[in-house]
Amino acid sequence: MRRNRLGTTGLALAALVPLVFLAVFFLLPVSAMVARGLHIDGRWSFDAFGEVLGRSRTGRVLWFTVWISSLATALTVAIGVPIAYVTYRLKLPAMGLVRGLLVMPFVLPTIVVGVAFRTLLAPSGPLGFLGWDGSWQAILLALVFFNIAVVVRTVGSRWQSLDVRQMEAAAALGAGPMTVLRTVVLPALRPAIVSAASVVFLFCAGAFGVVLTLGGVRYSTIETEIYLLTTNFLDLRAAAVLSLLQAVTVIGLLLITERTTARSGLVRLRAGVSARQRVRRSDLPLIGLTALAVLFVAAPLLTLVVRSLQVGDGWGLDNYRRLTRVDESPVLAASVTDALATSFRVAIDATVLAVTLGLLVSFVVTRRPRSTAGRRLLSGLDTVFMLPLGISAVTVGFGFLIALDEPPLDLRSSPILVPIAQAMVALPLVVRIVAPALRSVDPRERDAAASLGATPLRAFWDVDRRVLAKPLLAATGFAFAVSLGEFGATSFLARPENPTLPVVIYQLLGHPGANYFGMALAGSVILAAVTATVMVVVERLGVRGTGAF
Amino acid sequence: MFRKSHTPLITLCCLALGATVAGCSTTGEKSSSSSSSGSKVTTVTLVTHDSWVAPKELLAEFTKSTGYQVKVLASGDAGKVANSVVLSKGKPTGDVVFGIDNTFASRVVDAKALTNYTSKALPKSASAYALPGDSASAMTPIDFGDVCVNIDNAWFASKNKPVPQTLDDLVKPEYKGLFVTPGAATSSPGMAFLLATIAKYGDNGWQEYWKKLMANGTKVTSGWSDAWNVDYTAGGGKGSRPIVLSYNTSPADTLKDGKSTTSAMTQSCFRQVEYAGVLAGAKNEPGAKAFIDFMLGKSFQTALPTNMYVFPVDRSIALPDAWRTAVKVPEKTLSVDPAKITANRDAWLRTWQDATSG
């Protein structure tokens, strides 16, 4: 099979568009920040490395980051995979609602979640007896709370598309359910599990608001350390060293996951959705676990709802009402409906951008070049696009400020930067969901289509589209949720005239004043509820649409 | 492994991208009529923090009297604003900056990120808030707020306990486990409280004081919001600590039957002054100066308490009714020289981190 030059050119083009984006909106700002820290008086000075890495505090912070993120990832995967099975594979009512509930934490502002957890865990709270307020356990719980959805959705959407005939065949040959799980299902799911785990790890290592709020003064991660060094000390040298340390950690982690996924063989995926199974007795413990997880996610959310309904010593919808009246509360920059509309507009932009770029990247990295060099190049590409998840938002945010200050790129105060920054964070998630699906397409199918005279686009439409539909839907939903909830890099960008809902919530939270806190919580409840509803509805429509294939 | 080009697919993707970038974007950006072609500049761009609140009518008044439209770029807290001004020195994102306080002021002045300007509109009472020495001409004081320890008097009354009066009281055993404060490294009022203790106990005594505070069961949270809303007994979260670090205006938020159930400890206050400055390299320097004059004017100064919860530097302005009864402006506050803050900030914070995270 001869690859013609046009094909390679096309590939290069496909890779170039996302690369240019990444270079301008991520690599450039980050390198500018690092250069600001290490390039002093016209010379590079690297003695900062020894000094910063030699601080006892740095060692402690790095160690805490690694172990808390690893533990949180392991726990999230252990809980998330069974839940993915229950919510995507079993014939049970209201599973769409459960999936919607699990995604709510994903879009909540981290400070709000921190307050919710603290309300539960504080000595005066219902779980005060645990003594977990300001402990690492609290941080761990919150990290799991945030990330369950990542595992459930990534693994679940793949589980839906597994060809059940293999499992049925194994079962017909006398293999027990556990054996089928071990020999057929798990190997087929492994790419999705590893993908989800690496994303969760990066989210945990990059978690910031949660660690600050729940860790009190005792615990800090590399991310919170970079934040403090940058914002409070303006110690750009140390921040640059830690940012590089972060980058090295991320790349290391990705290389490891690369190894793990590269070995997985070809898995047959079906188009559409496999029929859901009836519940068997052996499923009961898993259903129990799912119920527990739902409770665990619901508890902090309920705390928020309860407190948002608190009015003085009584109850009422006053906080919600106040959110609609801009003229009554001066701090309220926009009514909740306007802010929500702005959030959605920005999220749609970010989603279109992330999914388009994500498709291109996935398309490129799933090609199978013959040469080792080619394969290396592609896995390198894959890694580069994961970087935005692992690098501190503070570094990127301040980087925008000092890197994009020259025309034609003086975008520092342009509203367009917000969806772009969010798309950069969502892009790796899209790639992580779409690429495994594309990998599962047998190239021989495309070749067959081509040899029957189909154009590549036609071949793509006939062959890849079938396995792409659902992962693409999942990825779109995710990109949307990431955009709605992202506040790290966005908080560094100038607030446009029309603030998004998270911005309004943070403004309310930061203001001393009798009603502002309640209003902030009410806004958070609305944000989470609306997002979950949208995702559930889109899923419904999507499943109906793709089920027809 | 493919044989033909997949240019069509890429073309499609590029088209979608292009559409988004080229402003078929749903963000619906209305490009403001800012001048780029060297015609008369009609916009003043204000760089400020997220707590900036100014009613539209107020800004319209400025536009009416000067002809300049105000474009507001707000992001982050006072520290973030100060740093972004330092980092983008010479190529500012706007013309005028507001909201840098006295704990960050000299960092910005030292970086030479501002153009000197002394407003003729400066009221007499404002000189009390000016930065010391030459820095006074770089930054103009606009408002101030006092960060003080707050006491839930109702709680102490119900327990028949005497109310703590001074910072010394907070380390006494009878007040063990009753105090909560946001941390100095993560919150601006927290930093103000650290500076209050440094002012009171001196370079050699404050660390000892903090060790005693921690030994006496003080809780340090990351931000003001969860200290007040989760831990404070009067903060609405039914917390368990009746002493919190907050503002002198906070008692106005805990009214019962028109009277406040809490009070601020007037001997514990640190004064945070917020400044405005003309950014060096501003595209519209006259507009920036006009806006600073406007911020010192009666309309803007009168709007400060209700919009931003701070006190106007023009002391002739009448305060809101709720403040007159529940809020006391302390006669004397604890203070540290801004230059000294900038020189020692890092060392103090690191020492503080070690003292509190042990």
Side-chain angles (χ1 to χ4, degrees), chain A residues 134-220:
Chain A
S135 68
W136 61 265
Q137 289 93 333
I139 299 175
L140 182 71
L141 286 182
L143 290 177
V144 173
F145 171 83
F146 268 117
N147 289 305
I148 283 185
V150 179
V151 177
V152 171
R153 286 182 170 257
T154 314
V155 176
S157 66
R158 189 167 174 96
W159 212 319
Q160 257 183 326
S161 326
L162 285 189
D163 198 336
V164 284
R165 281 171 302 189
Q166 286 178 327
M167 307 173 210
E168 283 161 359
L173 293 170
M178 283 317 284
T179 319
V180 173
L181 183 76
R182 215 185 51 241
T183 55
V184 181
V185 180
L186 281 180
L189 290 178
R190 194 167 64 183
I193 294 176
V194 174
S195 260
S198 60
V199 168
V200 170
F201 184 89
L202 292 180
F203 269 136
C204 292
F208 155 74
V210 184
V211 179
L212 275 184
T213 312
L214 295 176
V217 280
R218 265 195 310 186
Y219 298 103
S220 32

Side-chain angles (χ1 to χ4, degrees), chain A residues 108-117 146 209-210 213 506 509, chain B residues 222 225-226:
Chain A
L108 281 174
T110 48
I111 293 192
V112 174
V113 170
V115 169
F117 268 84
F146 268 117
V210 184
T213 312
Y506 272 95
L509 270 182
Chain B
S222 80
S225 145
D226 62 321

Side-chain angles (χ1 to χ4, degrees), chain B residues 26-242:
Chain B
T26 44
T27 312
E29 185 194 346
K30 295 189 297 289
S31 55
S32 59
S33 56
S34 66
S35 72
S36 49
S37 55
S39 63
K40 189 175 174 302
V41 184
T42 53
T43 341
V44 178
T45 308
L46 168 74
V47 176
T48 183
H49 50 52
D50 267 335
S51 306
W52 165 268
V53 179
K56 284 195 175 65
E57 308 78 65
L58 193 61
L59 296 181
E61 196 178 313
F62 171 74
T63 306
K64 209 170 136 190
S65 62
T66 63
Y68 296 120
Q69 295 278 353
V70 184
K71 185 177 171 197
V72 180
L73 299 180
S75 121
D77 57 7
K80 214 184 256 183
V81 171
N83 287 340
S84 59
V85 166
V86 170
L87 285 175
S88 57
K89 183 187 97 179
K91 289 183 191 161
T93 44
D95 307 306
V96 56
V97 62
F98 164 79
I100 294 170
D101 68 19
N102 47 330
T103 65
F104 283 105
S106 53
R107 178 183 287 182
V108 179
V109 175
D110 294 349
K112 301 203 169 36
L114 301 171
T115 303
N116 281 351
Y117 175 60
T118 308
S119 172
K120 291 196 172 56
L122 211 58
K124 282 219 167 27
S125 57
S127 59
Y129 311 101
L131 287 171
D134 295 342
S135 313
S137 45
M139 301 189 100
T140 310
I142 304 296
D143 64 66
F144 70 92
D146 292 326
V147 172
C148 315
V149 173
N150 270 242
I151 314 285
D152 182 356
N153 296 319
W155 186 92
F156 280 99
S158 70
K159 293 271 190 291
N160 279 328
K161 269 191 170 203
V163 171
Q165 303 286 344
T166 62
L167 288 179
D168 285 335
D169 286 349
L170 298 185
V171 297
K172 288 181 179 160
E174 59 258 48
Y175 300 112
K176 195 175 175 72
L178 300 185
F179 178 45
V180 56
T181 175
T186 46
S187 107
S188 139
M191 182 72 200
F193 181 60
L194 169 61
L195 293 168
T197 61
I198 291 172
K200 184 160 166 67
Y201 296 101
D203 286 346
N204 305 320
W206 68 267
Q207 300 162 29
E208 198 48 43
Y209 178 76
W210 273 93
K211 285 200 182 102
K212 284 189 200 151
L213 264 186
M214 296 314 288
N216 207 26
T218 296
K219 171 139 193 101
V220 181
T221 63
S222 80
W224 172 87
S225 145
D226 62 321
W228 179 273
N229 293 299
V230 176
D231 297 292
Y232 189 38
T233 45
K238 302 190 176 56
S240 57
R241 292 169 185 264

Side-chain angles (χ1 to χ4, degrees), chain A residues 360-367 378-379 381-382 385 431 435 439:
Chain A
L360 286 170
V361 174
S362 306
F363 188 75
V364 173
V365 298
T366 51
R367 299 306 90 183
L378 290 191
S379 75
L381 262 185
D382 198 14
F385 283 103
V431 175
R439 274 201 189 93

Side-chain angles (χ1 to χ4, degrees), chain A residues 465-501:
Chain A
R465 184 196 50 162
R466 292 180 301 117
V467 293
L468 258 186
K470 259 191 319 301
L472 204 54
L473 198 67
T476 306
F478 248 135
F480 193 71
V482 165
S483 166
L484 282 175
E486 207 280 333
F487 198 74
T490 318
S491 68
F492 278 81
L493 306 176
R495 185 177 84 214
E497 303 287 318
N498 323 325
T500 57
L501 192 48

Side-chain angles (χ1 to χ4, degrees), chain A residues 34-110:
Chain A
V34 170
R36 204 36 102 86
L38 302 177
H39 192 78
I40 302 151
D41 302 330
R43 287 189 316 110
W44 286 96
S45 97
F46 295 109
D47 40 3
F49 279 85
E51 197 263 313
V52 176
L53 299 179
R55 291 180 194 168
S56 64
R57 189 177 168 85
T58 308
R60 272 210 314 274
V61 167
L62 178 64
W63 173 232
F64 180 72
T65 309
V66 170
W67 79 253
I68 196 91
S69 308
S70 308
L71 192 58
T73 307
L75 202 57
T76 313
V77 169
I79 299 172
V81 171
I83 297 175
Y85 170 76
V86 171
T87 52
Y88 281 84
R89 295 288 307 143
L90 291 184
K91 258 195 196 138
L92 283 169
M95 279 304 115
L97 284 180
V98 170
R99 296 200 295 246
L101 177 83
L102 292 176
V103 92
M104 279 190 185
F106 210 72
V107 296
L108 281 174
T110 48

Side-chain angles (χ1 to χ4, degrees), chain A residues 66 78 86 158 164 207 209 227 290 334 338 373 387 392 424 427 445 507:
Chain A
V66 170
V86 171
R158 189 167 174 96
V164 284
Y227 167 81
T290 306
D338 292 348
L387 276 177
S392 160
M424 284 291 135
L427 173 67
E445 286 192 56
Q507 271 182 292

Side-chain angles (χ1 to χ4, degrees), chain A residues 1-4 6-7 10-11 13-14 17 21 33 36 55 57 115 118-119 122-124 133-134 212-213 216-218 227-236 307 310 313 330-331 345-346 348-349 352-353 356-357 360 363 367-368 370 398 401-402 405-406 412-416 419 443 447 454 456-457 460 491-495 497 503 507 509-514 516-517, chain B residues 1-10 12-14 16-17 20-21 25-30 49-53 70-77 79-80 83-84 86-88 91-93 104 107 183-186 191 214 219-222 224-227 229-231 235-240 247 250 253 256 283 306-309 345-346 349-350 352-354 356-358:
Chain A
M1 225 160 295
R2 208 168 35 81
R3 168 177 304 195
N4 67 11
L6 249 181
L11 251 198
L13 260 181
V17 177
F21 253 85
M33 262 323 257
R36 204 36 102 86
R55 291 180 194 168
R57 189 177 168 85
V115 169
R118 286 218 51 221
T119 303
S124 50
D133 192 23
L212 275 184
T213 312
V217 280
R218 265 195 310 186
Y227 167 81
L228 291 181
L229 284 170
T230 310
T231 55
N232 229 328
F233 299 118
L234 207 54
D235 181 352
L236 300 183
R307 281 205 68 177
Q310 236 179 321
D313 293 333
V331 173
R345 276 202 297 268
V346 173
I348 288 169
D349 285 359
V352 169
L353 199 58
T356 313
L357 292 173
L360 286 170
F363 188 75
R367 299 306 90 183
R368 295 191 181 83
R370 292 258 176 85
F398 274 138
L401 201 67
I402 58 176
D405 62 351
E406 297 277 357
R412 290 175 305 176
S413 51
S414 160
I416 199 159
D447 295 338
L457 195 62
F460 173 82
S491 68
F492 278 81
L493 306 176
R495 185 177 84 214
E497 303 287 318
V503 169
Q507 271 182 292
L509 270 182
H511 252 274
Y516 296 133
F517 182 73
Chain B
M1 284 300 199
F2 35 81
R3 306 179 47 176
K4 294 218 177 81
S5 82
H6 22 245
T7 330
L9 167 71
I10 291 146
L12 264 183
C13 285
C14 288
L17 263 188
T20 311
V21 177
S25 141
T26 44
T27 312
E29 185 194 346
K30 295 189 297 289
H49 50 52
D50 267 335
S51 306
W52 165 268
V53 179
V70 184
K71 185 177 171 197
V72 180
L73 299 180
S75 121
D77 57 7
K80 214 184 256 183
N83 287 340
S84 59
V86 170
L87 285 175
S88 57
K91 289 183 191 161
T93 44
F104 283 105
R107 178 183 287 182
T186 46
M191 182 72 200
M214 296 314 288
K219 171 139 193 101
V220 181
T221 63
S222 80
W224 172 87
S225 145
D226 62 321
N229 293 299
V230 176
D231 297 292
K238 302 190 176 56
S240 57
Y247 301 89
S250 301
D253 291 326
K256 202 164 190 159
K283 285 195 184 70
T306 40
N307 288 301
M308 294 198 240
Y309 270 77
R345 185 190 197 89
D346 298 12
L349 272 174
R350 286 190 208 289
W352 177 88
Q353 276 180 323
D354 293 341
T356 50
S357 60

